[in-house]
Amino acid sequence: MVNRSKAHLIMIQFASRNSKGEKPFAFSSLRFEELVDPAMVFIRSVSLLSKLCSRRVSIVQQSSLYGSVRWLQVQSGSELDLHSQLKDLIPEQQERLKKLKAEHGKVQLGNITTDMVIGGMRGMIGLLWETSLLDPDEGIRFRGLSIPECQNVLPTAIPGGEPLPEGLLWLLLTGKVPNKEQVNALSKELQSRATVPDHVYKAIDSLPETAHPMTQFATGVMALQVQSEFQKAYDKGIPKSKFWEPTYEDSLNLIAQVPIVASYVYRRIYKDGDIIPADDSLDYGANFSHMLGFDSPKMQELMRLYVTIHSDHEGGNVSAHTAHLVASALSDPYLSFAAALNGLAGPLHGLANQEVLLWIKSVVEECGENIKTEQLKDYVWKTLNSGKVVPGFGHGVLRKTDPRYMCQREFALKHLPDDPLFQLVSKLYEVVPPILTHLGKVKNPWPNVDAHSGVLLNHFGLTEARYFTVLFGVSRSIGICSQLIWDRALGLPLERPKSVTMEWLENYCKKAT
């Protein structure tokens, strides 16, 4: 029996495939009356498919992991307020999690080995992270959508351009692809929240200008914490069921404000403190580029792409996991995100994009821009034989070329094909993987996201490699904060894994064998 009061929430899935059975299409909501009318169902389905084809929505099914058909929900409603959308979605997802725990809470998800315990919990399934999932062969999917799929369906600032980060934020929070009007409304809302108190600038100014940009950025985020709505609400005794609402307010405020803090740090360190105010006529990515001092339309497009693809990478990486861990203690989004930034600043995480560009420039300094393939091979071997790694290659999870690398490569082929450093990166793509494969010590010899981003930024004038990780941090605020809202909405508990000693492991393994 269908509840008429909830009929507008019922979703019917339609699918149409090409001759190879490859293309899934969207599904749309039907009114209760239409559910009992087969003719109306047929008419609506034909109409929907026609609209999708006219918009040239191309969703390519690439994975056998997700089965033969995946579904994409295209947001077609007129509701422009993101908060009200979440208010409708959250009770449904709370019941979904409750049912999952009640019916399948004792299902085993795998076996923990001694290697996993010693090796940093690598590969253990131990976190719930709704906003994205990383597959070793496919790469990252944002709410089920690959990067190429997001590029096809998310709204853009210009025809055929890169996705707007605001659109990805909507997708991560709701699981739905927004329309342009919804993205524009969210962009305006973020602009209305983008006011940074004076004490934040004073806190940053108290540090020496020589302090690392990530130190200054994290300090600014901590200074923002005094305005936390979650902390205020918690102190007043807000019920647990409402925790997500002040978390939402903090998260959107934080996402709106971090580009201002980050650009302030950049202009303070590298541009003699000549601060550029925000331009409310610009979208999130373009405005960030503008405040940094780069108004080239191509640089604005790069910033939209950069923020989008760096926003989230499931929950097991250091910055995402740190935010989740700290937030599980009911620390507010500012404290949680600041902790994540401190993890991101490590050379094995976000600092890698800085090291890649510096290494590439060292190749040019020693061998020149027009380096031959054999010379490049010799330099790679020289790096490896000195006990160092070739930065930008390999990944803890991926076992193929990072899709984030590939979309940046496509951007470069479109906008800067003759750039000498891009041509060097292309040669490295040919030279390094066979060498690493020959060594036989790496599971993934392919380039990752960091192998390319620095070269693109450098081309458009953002040459200060020490600052690159701050850009990564601004991007990561979108994914981390989206998941924090859902952490609160789903009532996820304090994270408390069990640790053991080497003696415990030795004794256990002796008994097991």
Side-chain angles (χ1 to χ4, degrees):
M1 184 68 181
V2 179
N3 184 341
R4 287 176 177 263
S5 67
K6 296 184 178 179
H8 68 286
L9 296 178
I10 298 175
M11 312 302 291
I12 300 298
Q13 297 179 337
F14 299 106
S16 177
R17 301 186 185 184
N18 60 18
S19 59
K20 295 181 180 180
E22 292 176 338
K23 287 191 176 182
F25 283 86
F27 57 86
S28 178
S29 59
L30 297 177
R31 295 189 300 274
F32 175 82
E33 293 79 4
E34 294 171 328
L35 289 172
V36 296
D37 187 347
M40 182 59 72
V41 170
F42 176 78
I43 293 170
R44 284 289 301 278
S45 65
V46 171
S47 173
L48 173 62
L49 294 176
S50 175
K51 289 178 181 178
L52 285 172
C53 289
S54 67
R55 290 177 59 196
R56 297 183 181 181
V57 176
S58 174
I59 303 298
V60 180
Q61 174 66 350
Q62 299 174 333
S63 168
S64 60
L65 178 67
Y66 292 89
S68 60
V69 177
R70 285 187 299 102
W71 301 98
L72 167 66
Q73 181 172 344
V74 176
Q75 184 85 6
S76 58
S78 60
E79 179 57 67
L80 303 181
D81 180 51
L82 182 58
H83 184 274
S84 64
Q85 295 256 335
L86 283 173
K87 208 164 188 176
D88 289 338
L89 283 170
I90 283 172
E92 173 188 323
Q93 295 302 309
Q94 288 172 332
E95 287 302 312
R96 181 184 176 190
L97 183 62
K98 183 178 179 181
K99 180 181 179 182
L100 183 64
K101 185 176 180 179
E103 296 181 1
H104 305 292
K106 303 302 180 184
V107 172
Q108 293 186 356
L109 297 177
N111 297 316
I112 304 302
T113 66
T114 302
D115 280 342
M116 291 177 174
V117 174
I118 297 173
M121 301 190 290
R122 189 172 299 276
M124 291 183 184
I125 299 175
L127 292 172
L128 183 63
W129 195 268
E130 285 290 279
T131 50
S132 65
L133 183 66
L134 179 60
D135 179 73
D137 297 314
E138 281 203 327
I140 192 65
R141 285 187 176 274
F142 302 118
R143 290 288 188 171
L145 298 181
S146 68
I147 287 176
E149 290 168 350
C150 287
Q151 288 176 298
N152 280 331
V153 300
L154 289 177
T156 61
I158 60 176
E162 301 299 339
L164 289 163
E166 297 94 318
L168 186 73
L169 174 58
W170 190 291
L171 173 67
L172 293 181
L173 279 172
T174 69
K176 303 174 185 177
V177 175
N179 57 41
K180 187 63 182 295
E181 291 74 20
Q182 289 165 326
V183 168
N184 289 343
L186 179 54
S187 186
K188 286 184 173 60
E189 180 176 359
L190 291 174
Q191 288 169 4
S192 71
R193 296 170 178 266
T195 301
V196 174
D198 287 341
H199 73 264
V200 175
Y201 303 122
K202 293 178 181 177
I204 296 172
D205 289 342
S206 68
L207 297 171
E209 290 183 12
T210 54
H212 194 281
M214 282 296 282
T215 302
Q216 299 191 41
F217 183 40
T219 298
V221 171
M222 284 298 297
L224 285 170
Q225 189 273 340
V226 298
Q227 65 185 8
S228 172
E229 295 297 327
F230 180 83
Q231 184 186 34
K232 295 173 187 175
Y234 187 83
D235 290 345
K236 292 179 181 177
I238 186 174
K240 187 176 181 180
S241 61
K242 299 287 186 180
F243 279 179
W244 76 269
E245 296 200 47
T247 302
Y248 174 92
E249 296 300 321
D250 279 355
S251 294
L252 261 67
N253 287 338
L254 178 60
I255 292 169
Q257 292 164 353
V258 289
I260 299 175
V261 175
S263 60
Y264 182 85
V265 170
Y266 178 77
R267 302 295 298 185
R268 176 178 188 252
I269 298 174
Y270 302 111
K271 303 299 177 182
D272 298 321
D274 182 17
I275 308 304
I276 300 174
D279 182 347
D280 290 344
S281 69
L282 298 174
D283 58 84
Y284 189 87
N287 201 21
F288 185 25
S289 179
H290 164 73
M291 289 187 292
L292 289 170
F294 304 96
D295 288 317
S296 160
K298 289 183 179 181
M299 179 59 167
Q300 292 179 351
E301 274 289 274
L302 174 60
M303 195 59 68
R304 294 175 185 122
L305 176 65
Y306 186 101
V307 173
T308 298
I309 66 174
H310 286 81
S311 63
D312 205 28
H313 215 232
E314 77 168 23
N317 65 78
V318 171
S319 57
H321 185 193
T322 300
H324 177 83
L325 171 64
V326 174
S328 77
L330 294 186
S331 298
D332 61 62
Y334 298 96
L335 296 173
S336 304
F337 183 63
L341 289 178
N342 292 328
L344 191 67
L348 295 184
H349 193 16
L351 208 65
N353 56 6
Q354 167 185 318
E355 296 191 339
V356 169
L357 184 62
L358 294 177
W359 183 81
I360 289 175
K361 287 187 173 181
S362 73
V363 175
V364 174
E365 287 175 7
E366 183 165 325
C367 306
E369 288 185 346
N370 299 317
I371 184 172
K372 304 299 182 183
T373 301
E374 289 304 316
Q375 284 181 289
L376 189 55
K377 288 181 180 178
D378 291 341
Y379 194 90
V380 170
W381 276 112
K382 176 183 175 181
T383 299
L384 295 171
N385 290 334
S386 68
K388 299 177 183 178
V389 299
V390 179
F393 284 80
H395 192 275
V397 177
L398 287 171
R399 295 296 173 258
K400 61 175 287 186
T401 300
D402 193 334
R404 298 173 299 174
Y405 172 93
M406 292 306 300
C407 72
Q408 290 181 98
R409 175 173 170 79
E410 291 167 4
F411 184 94
L413 287 169
K414 180 179 179 181
H415 295 294
L416 48 131
D418 299 324
D419 181 274
L421 292 186
F422 166 60
Q423 292 180 348
L424 178 54
V425 167
S426 296
K427 287 181 181 178
L428 286 169
Y429 190 22
E430 299 173 6
V431 168
V432 175
I435 292 176
L436 295 181
T437 301
H438 175 76
L439 287 174
K441 296 180 180 180
V442 294
K443 295 180 179 179
N444 173 20
W446 305 106
N448 57 47
V449 64
D450 298 315
H452 222 308
S453 57
V455 167
L456 296 179
L457 295 166
N458 184 82
H459 175 83
F460 292 109
L462 209 169
T463 59
E464 298 85 2
R466 291 180 81 235
Y467 183 79
F468 288 172
T469 313
V470 177
L471 302 175
F472 201 155
V474 171
S475 307
R476 194 47 61 92
S477 69
I478 291 177
I480 285 175
C481 288
S482 295
Q483 182 59 41
L484 286 185
I485 293 168
W486 278 104
D487 285 353
R488 296 285 195 266
L490 297 174
L492 298 188
L494 177 71
E495 186 179 328
R496 182 59 173 88
K498 171 66 177 170
S499 64
V500 295
T501 64
M502 276 203 288
E503 181 183 12
W504 187 97
L505 278 176
E506 290 166 345
N507 292 335
Y508 183 89
C509 291
K510 286 177 183 177
K511 292 177 182 178
T513 56

